[in-house]
Amino acid sequence: QRLVMALLSQQTVRIDGIRAQDENPGLRDYEVSLLRLLEQATNGTRIVISPTGTSVVLRPGMITGGRIDMDCPVSRSIGYYLEALVAIAPFGKDQMTATLRGVTTNNVDLSVDLIRTATLVNLRNFGLSEGVELRITKRGAEPRGGGEVRFICPVVRAVTPLNFVDAGRVRRIRGIAYATRVSPQSANRMVEAARGELNRYIPDIYIYTDVYKGAESGLSPGFGISLVAETTTGALLTAELCAQAGDAPEDVGRDAAQRLLHEIARGGCFDSAHQWQALLLMTLGPEHAAKTRFGKLTPFSIQYLRDLRVFFNTTFKIKPDNQSVLLTCLGTGFTNVGKKTT
């Protein structure tokens, strides 16, 4: 995320001591791939990695967008790379069309389903909804992957200020249960278990089953479920889980439903997985006060706020308010100088 901030703020960043005390020191394969991806998405970016791999310097160039094609290592899911692209793509010179191949879902990063149904939908709060799409052409479960997605994002001149304080009440829950190279019944069993947990709270639940066969199902068997709760004011709260070896579909469905209920209990206008997105786009907004409500700040968000202060010199006013926190900041008035004027 600091690399993304460096590109947007046009500041050189140096990261030292990367796993220096580890048995296997230095950058991992997926981190090197992320650096290469950012290099592809920009023009003039210089990246210098030390011989031991424990320090890296990034001198940012201009975000260009355009066509990107990449095979991602299977150690992290495609969501890891898409998070960085979603943050920089709207501020490029041309529309970005990225094709990424690898693992589509794991339990570490956001899955491609949640990025499609929540991360990209959240962009509408900042005036960025037109023409943004993510197409899942193939699924790929761990460990061998084999999935493929296509991400398209047009460019904007500037984002709109955010004033989103009322989290509302949950009005409906939607979800996707997928299965690749296993019995199609696995998806139905997950749906039944998840509905069993959630039906006690709300009747409007619809979970799609998405069963892939043949070449589109990737190289490994797997199944998982992602759930999105939508509130009356349009806030999205998400949870997901994919099966590890030996997990029963019923357990996966039930545990994912319980995670969603935890997320709903935390409240807020953005769930814990998308707090960074709101913070970044509030900072990049026009020079007006931007305001939102979170349930509880995650450790990642707390570090993110510190990084935003370093790169953009933006500080947030944080006010505890009845089990949640209100965040207010003044935007930096960021404009995309690369976008062609029409």
Side-chain angles (χ1 to χ4, degrees):
Q1 292 292 1
R2 280 158 70 189
L3 300 174
V4 167
M5 289 186 206
L7 287 173
L8 290 169
S9 64
Q10 292 292 299
Q11 290 184 33
T12 300
V13 64
R14 182 189 177 107
I15 303 169
D16 286 317
I18 302 168
R19 302 191 185 89
Q21 307 300 321
D22 211 68
E23 277 182 27
N24 182 10
L27 293 165
R28 300 282 180 262
D29 56 350
Y30 56 86
E31 291 162 336
V32 175
S33 294
L34 180 66
L35 289 167
R36 294 281 163 263
L37 179 66
L38 295 176
E39 204 172 31
Q40 272 192 54
T42 55
N43 182 13
T45 298
R46 289 199 56 213
I47 296 167
V48 182
I49 301 172
S50 69
T52 54
T54 53
S55 91
V56 60
V57 178
L58 180 133
R59 291 192 182 87
M62 190 161 174
I63 302 166
T64 50
R67 291 194 170 277
I68 295 172
D69 196 289
M70 185 169 146
D71 292 311
C72 307
V74 292
S75 41
R76 290 292 282 263
S77 87
I78 292 173
Y80 173 73
Y81 306 94
L82 276 176
E83 272 189 49
L85 291 184
V86 168
I88 63 171
F91 307 107
K93 187 176 167 202
D94 300 308
Q95 172 175 299
M96 182 182 284
T97 306
T99 306
L100 303 177
R101 285 175 289 277
V103 173
T104 50
T105 314
N106 67 4
N107 282 330
V108 182
D109 309 295
L110 278 176
S111 73
V112 289
D113 289 313
L114 280 193
I115 288 177
R116 189 170 63 94
T117 52
T119 313
L120 298 184
V121 178
N122 276 336
L123 292 174
R124 69 184 175 194
N125 296 318
F126 301 91
L128 296 173
S129 55
E130 285 296 307
V132 181
E133 70 166 301
L134 179 67
R135 228 174 275 148
I136 304 167
T137 45
K138 293 180 191 169
R139 290 227 177 239
E142 286 190 300
R144 290 172 61 204
E148 183 179 283
V149 302
R150 192 150 175 262
F151 171 59
I152 299 169
C153 182
V155 292
V156 292
R157 191 85 182 154
V159 295
T160 55
L162 178 73
N163 189 356
F164 189 11
V165 181
D166 181 13
R169 302 178 78 83
V170 175
R171 68 172 182 180
R172 62 180 184 179
I173 294 173
R174 295 288 177 265
I176 296 174
Y178 76 89
T180 60
R181 292 189 178 269
V182 294
S183 160
Q185 274 301 308
S186 302
N188 297 334
R189 285 160 64 188
M190 279 189 293
V191 172
E192 285 301 313
R195 287 188 68 109
E197 285 290 312
L198 298 170
N199 262 338
R200 289 181 276 175
Y201 303 99
I202 186 169
D204 188 357
I205 300 170
Y206 195 86
I207 303 173
Y208 300 87
T209 54
D210 203 2
V211 179
Y212 281 73
K213 295 190 183 78
E216 292 180 353
S217 61
L219 303 172
S220 299
F223 52 87
I225 185 168
S226 55
L227 301 166
V228 180
E230 191 180 335
T231 70
T232 47
T233 54
L236 300 174
L237 306 167
T238 64
E240 64 180 344
L241 197 60
C242 73
Q244 300 296 324
D247 285 357
E250 287 80 6
D251 296 343
V252 174
R254 189 177 60 248
D255 292 351
Q258 285 169 357
R259 284 188 182 196
L260 183 67
L261 294 173
H262 276 293
E263 205 57 67
I264 292 169
R266 288 173 78 125
C269 301
F270 293 90
D271 64 352
S272 49
H274 292 99
Q275 287 180 1
W276 67 269
Q277 188 187 20
L279 295 172
L280 178 67
L281 291 170
M282 282 166 75
T283 304
L284 295 175
E287 293 179 25
H288 295 290
K291 196 173 184 184
T292 192
R293 181 189 299 276
F294 287 167
K296 184 182 171 192
L297 282 171
T298 60
F300 179 83
S301 301
I302 292 166
Q303 181 58 44
Y304 202 82
L305 286 164
R306 289 177 188 142
D307 290 339
L308 284 171
R309 191 180 63 195
V310 171
F311 283 97
F312 294 99
N313 201 13
T314 299
T315 50
F316 280 74
K317 183 179 167 202
I318 301 171
K319 184 176 156 201
D321 176 56
N322 187 14
Q323 303 287 317
S324 59
V325 286
L326 281 169
L327 288 100
T328 316
C329 84
L330 203 62
T332 53
F334 182 89
T335 50
N336 178 5
V337 291
K339 183 179 188 293
K340 298 183 182 83
T341 48
T342 47

